Amino acid sequence: MEFSHISDVVMKLALAYPFVSFTLYNDEKVSFFSSGKGNVIEIISSLYGLEIAKNMGEIKGSNDDFIISGFTSSLGVSRSNKNGIITILNGRCVRLVGAINAIVEAYKTYLSDDRYPITIINIETDYNLVDVNVHPSKQEVRLSKENELKELIIDTIKQRFYTFCSVKPIM
């Protein structure tokens, strides 16, 4: 259990800081490695495998308050839980419930209710918009302009769908 938690932290740090090399050992064997070359797809491949990495698409968007970037899975790749949705706010892995819900909402008409995408999203914003006093461990935060962020995330992910493939919603 302890190693699992440590592994999760190291992997999220590797995604948040792709220009830093990370090596995680378990029983003197390399369990995880990232080169530090800034290649997020390489890190995704180490975490989820080459096939999933090949099925990730880049997302980028911005509005007056937020800049988002990252990668999200194609419609053929999904999970049975939300653990594959990783939110990074101003370089720190945190739980942003509103952002996670926006990602799920963007896929809502394309995935069945019990399936979730793999998404790594970096969100940059002014620190004055961040409320860190939501959870004692500071792992969950809220934003004062959460609706604007949700709209940006949904629009950016849907634009990726429209730009790179012609998809039809499930009925």
Side-chain angles (χ1 to χ4, degrees), residues 79-131:
R79 295 277 189 241
S80 61
N81 59 48
K82 296 178 187 176
N83 293 342
I85 301 175
I86 298 169
T87 52
I88 303 164
L89 177 65
N90 293 336
R92 184 169 170 228
C93 281
V94 293
R95 185 165 156 72
L96 270 170
V97 175
I100 293 168
N101 290 340
I103 293 164
V104 172
E105 176 71 22
Y107 279 83
K108 187 177 182 175
T109 57
Y110 302 102
L111 295 177
S112 60
D113 289 342
D114 61 343
R115 303 302 297 177
Y116 303 94
I118 296 172
T119 303
I120 293 87
I121 188 166
N122 293 289
I123 303 161
E124 295 176 39
T125 192
D126 187 316
Y127 287 95
N128 292 324
L129 298 179
V130 181
D131 179 5

Side-chain angles (χ1 to χ4, degrees), residues 144-156:
S144 60
K145 294 190 174 185
E146 197 167 276
N147 287 333
E148 289 84 346
L149 177 61
K150 287 179 183 179
E151 187 177 305
L152 175 62
I153 290 170
I154 291 169
D155 291 347
T156 302

Side-chain angles (χ1 to χ4, degrees), residues 31-89:
S31 173
F32 173 78
F33 172 78
S34 68
S35 68
K37 294 180 181 175
N39 187 340
V40 178
I41 287 293
E42 176 186 283
I43 299 167
I44 291 170
S45 179
S46 293
L47 295 175
Y48 300 107
L50 184 59
E51 279 307 307
I52 288 178
K54 287 180 181 179
N55 284 288
M56 299 292 285
E58 188 171 15
I59 54 172
K60 287 184 180 186
S62 65
N63 62 20
D64 292 340
D65 298 300
F66 300 98
I67 299 170
I68 63 171
S69 62
F71 292 88
T72 194
S73 58
S74 68
L75 299 175
V77 175
S78 64
R79 295 277 189 241
S80 61
N81 59 48
K82 296 178 187 176
N83 293 342
I85 301 175
I86 298 169
T87 52
I88 303 164
L89 177 65

